[in-house]
Amino acid sequence: MNQILKLVLVSTCMLSIFSCSNPKTSSKDIIAESIEFASQQIGSEIEIMNAKGELLNPRTIEKDGSTRYNTPEMWTSGFFPGSLWYLYELTGDNKWKTEAEKLTETLDTIQYLTWHHDVGFMVNCSYGNGYRLTENDAYKKVIIQTAKSLSTRFRPNIGAIQSWNSNKGWQAERGWQCPVIIDNMMNLELLFEASKLSGDESFKNIAVKHAETTLENHFRPDHSCYHVIDYDTITGQVRSKQTAQGYSDESAWARGQAWAIYGYTLCFRETHDPKFLTKAENIAAYLFSHPRMPEDLVPYWDFDCKDIPNTYRDASAAAVIASALYEMSTFCPQKAESYKTLADKIINSLASDAYRAKLGENNNFLLMHSVGSIPHNSEIDVPLNYTDYYFLEALVRKRDLEQ
Ligand code: GLY
């Protein structure tokens, strides 16, 4: 079966090579003009802030057309500061560093947040990129303290970090005890980083154990993943396999698959354990041999939505997958070209008029057509700050590969 998937992957790559060769736009043009576009759009957003005299952290567009801004405790609060860091990296212009520092430092209190698991996203995208690019010692302390806070959510008898609390709100209504979502794989990057910075191996050990437990319980035989696994807090056993943001419990929610491929790629980078890379490769085979993966490689919001093709695409899933594929291409010499070609094709799609906003429109977000959560009737077919963040990250990775 695996051989068949690999064959299909190879033929998909061949098709992609054929269909993405665009004589008008070279790879370097796409990078250069995307950087120029991003600088102008995000520059306009900074001008709005300066005019209001406020530091604002955009997340998406509300139904009434206004911009929805993050408060520091929202899971999406790290992405706009992170996008500013990537603009600094892509342009070398210190003005982006100044803006990135200001926005990053609005998240100072998150290092002590223990009531949800998303601090990895929030602090690694902001302070993590900031530390990577500046080696500011104060940022290092924030990253280590955040890892301590995240570690309080590790449940040793389960071998995983608890994602959401289950004592109130809609999570309590679902009757969960210890819900762990596939998204949580993304928070591991902060733990690996904190181990290297502090020398405290416990953070890395927690990350590896979480990745192994997720490997065991979150995946189906075809390598697609469930969104939520609920564990028994006493016995540590799986109670149920469900969804929160997907079409159904047994469906493949597109962003969940994206978090999974990205998460296992980063686990391989940090551990060199081949089982993690094998999982990332198997997820790639699942995605790119899927009969409902569209020709432009921007997935529908859920691969099993019964309304396909009359439903929404999710550009956020595409951006995360592209960024992961660029990194995977550096680990897989024999498939490097095919993974990079797939990633390039996604980036070409996202940079096209079909997904990229017109200059001065889209409330200054870069990309259109992402989906937050259809079951919660929230953020449907809108721009999302994490789509822009992973698009810029993918541009950095693409540029580094092509230099
Ligand atoms: N981590 C939440 C989401 O992917 O929507």
Side-chain angles (χ1 to χ4, degrees):
M1 182 62 178
N2 212 16
Q3 280 311 320
I4 296 172
L5 283 177
K6 278 179 188 154
L7 273 176
V8 176
L9 177 62
V10 170
S11 15
T12 310
C13 293
M14 298 303 288
L15 256 178
S16 305
I17 290 164
F18 178 72
S19 55
C20 80
S21 49
N22 177 350
K24 286 189 209 129
T25 322
S26 77
S27 226
K28 287 206 166 29
D29 290 342
I30 285 196
I31 296 172
E33 64 124 24
S34 295
I35 295 172
E36 177 56 27
F37 171 74
S39 300
Q40 294 197 40
Q41 283 290 91
I42 297 179
S44 300
E45 189 58 29
I46 299 288
E47 278 172 26
I48 292 175
M49 287 183 209
N50 289 341
K52 288 187 178 168
E54 269 180 86
L55 287 174
L56 298 168
N57 184 331
R59 168 175 171 144
T60 185
I61 300 183
E62 300 275 22
K63 290 190 176 111
D64 67 5
S66 62
T67 300
R68 181 182 186 197
Y69 292 103
N70 285 294
T71 58
E73 296 205 344
M74 287 179 178
W75 81 273
T76 46
S77 64
F79 296 117
F80 185 68
S83 290
L84 295 170
W85 284 116
Y86 280 134
L87 263 189
Y88 171 52
E89 187 168 13
L90 286 163
T91 62
D93 187 336
N94 274 320
K95 83 174 179 203
W96 298 117
K97 176 170 175 264
T98 306
E99 300 302 334
E101 283 170 342
K102 285 194 268 184
L103 265 295
T104 293
E105 289 162 25
T106 63
L107 304 183
D108 178 56
T109 55
I110 301 310
Q111 61 188 304
Y112 304 108
L113 190 157
T114 57
W115 62 270
H116 66 68
H117 69 141
D118 284 318
V119 291
F121 277 114
M122 298 151 84
V123 168
N124 201 45
C125 299
S126 55
Y127 285 92
N129 278 310
Y131 183 73
R132 184 174 62 80
L133 294 169
T134 66
E135 297 191 359
N136 177 341
D137 203 52
Y139 287 11
K140 175 170 150 177
K141 292 193 179 99
V142 173
I143 293 165
I144 295 167
Q145 176 54 47
T146 309
K148 286 183 190 160
S149 297
L150 182 55
S151 300
T152 66
R153 301 186 67 80
F154 182 66
R155 309 290 174 243
N157 62 334
I158 294 168
I161 299 163
Q162 180 164 353
S163 294
W164 296 321
N165 290 350
S166 55
N167 56 346
K168 57 181 184 183
W170 63 270
Q171 287 97 339
E173 282 163 25
R174 299 289 294 260
W176 290 325
Q177 289 188 8
C178 178
V180 177
I181 64 176
I182 191 67
D183 322 29
N184 209 336
M185 288 298 300
M186 301 296 285
N187 293 311
L188 306 185
E189 193 161 19
L190 175 115
L191 294 176
F192 285 119
E193 194 54 33
S195 255
K196 285 183 281 189
L197 295 178
S198 65
D200 183 343
E201 287 282 301
S202 74
F203 303 136
K204 178 177 179 180
N205 294 341
I206 287 174
V208 170
K209 186 68 195 163
H210 182 96
E212 288 174 345
T213 302
T214 300
L215 205 54
E216 209 172 300
N217 297 323
H218 252 88
F219 289 88
R220 306 183 181 97
D222 65 1
H223 303 288
S224 70
C225 65
Y226 290 90
H227 183 199
V228 187
I229 304 294
D230 184 39
Y231 292 93
D232 186 305
T233 49
I234 310 289
T235 66
Q237 297 301 303
V238 173
R239 295 180 70 231
S240 62
K241 303 189 175 198
Q242 299 184 15
T243 198
Q245 286 164 252
Y247 180 79
S248 70
D249 289 344
E250 286 304 324
S251 73
W253 173 51
R255 197 162 53 255
Q257 315 313 302
W259 296 143
I261 190 171
Y262 191 115
Y264 281 102
T265 304
L266 83 85
C267 284
F268 176 74
R269 179 215 307 150
E270 300 296 341
T271 63
H272 304 294
D273 185 332
K275 69 175 179 277
F276 294 143
L277 186 58
T278 300
K279 179 49 84 179
E281 292 216 76
N282 284 331
I283 299 166
Y286 168 82
L287 291 171
F288 294 104
S289 63
H290 200 290
R292 288 184 290 281
M293 173 63 97
E295 173 63 19
D296 67 2
L297 304 185
V298 178
Y300 293 97
W301 68 281
D302 190 304
F303 283 90
D304 298 302
C305 175
K306 294 289 172 276
D307 298 331
I308 291 174
N310 302 312
T311 191
Y312 303 101
R313 303 294 191 91
D314 182 12
S316 78
V320 173
I321 293 167
S323 189
L325 287 168
Y326 283 129
E327 181 160 44
M328 282 173 72
S329 76
T330 67
F331 300 142
C332 308
Q334 289 176 351
K335 292 199 212 140
E337 203 178 320
S338 53
Y339 288 145
K340 181 171 182 298
T341 301
L342 288 166
D344 282 345
K345 183 164 185 195
I346 296 172
I347 293 302
N348 286 2
S349 297
L350 294 179
S352 76
D353 290 348
Y355 296 94
R356 197 174 81 178
K358 289 199 172 59
L359 195 62
E361 297 186 1
N362 207 33
N363 293 27
N364 300 321
F365 291 95
L366 308 183
L367 302 179
M368 309 179 285
H369 304 312
S370 290
V371 164
S373 180
I374 289 193
H376 296 93
N377 192 23
S378 170
E379 301 178 338
I380 300 170
D381 197 22
V382 290
L384 290 168
N385 66 358
Y386 42 102
T387 312
D388 291 358
Y389 173 88
Y390 287 104
F391 177 71
L392 291 173
E393 180 182 84
L395 285 184
V396 171
R397 291 178 173 187
K398 175 175 168 61
R399 186 188 67 172
D400 290 351
L401 282 170
E402 291 174 7
Q403 263 170 3

